[in-house]
Amino acid sequence: MVGLVLVFINPIRNQLVKMMAHRQMDVTAAQIKKNQHKKASFDFDKVDSLDTKQIVNAAVKGDVIVL
């Protein structure tokens, strides 16, 4: 059983991310407008990959913002 999970962990993880990407977030137009004016860093060298634990936790909690 554990072997099957290990073999299929990447497809499972990809499917969870795909499902969460299609969820609708509760964001108002005012929040979007406010966030457009925030200063942000776009240094892609500082971006970390998601691990399986983060993906599963976000899926269970329904917290798309974590991703």
Side-chain angles (χ1 to χ4, degrees):
M1 182 74 167
V2 174
L4 283 175
V5 171
L6 292 174
V7 168
F8 293 109
I9 194 67
N10 284 335
I12 292 169
R13 187 170 62 181
N14 292 340
Q15 186 63 29
L16 285 172
V17 170
K18 189 185 300 184
M19 286 177 8
M20 288 186 291
H22 288 89
R23 288 186 185 168
Q24 183 177 0
M25 297 189 325
D26 297 327
V27 181
T28 65
Q31 289 172 320
I32 293 171
K33 194 170 199 172
K34 178 182 172 186
N35 287 336
Q36 286 178 337
H37 298 290
K38 285 187 176 182
K39 187 172 182 160
S41 169
F42 296 101
D43 186 0
F44 291 103
D45 291 331
K46 292 184 179 181
V47 175
D48 294 326
S49 295
L50 295 172
D51 64 6
T52 304
K53 183 179 178 181
Q54 290 172 312
I55 295 170
V56 170
N57 283 338
V60 169
K61 294 178 184 176
D63 190 5
V64 179
I65 297 173
V66 171
L67 302 177

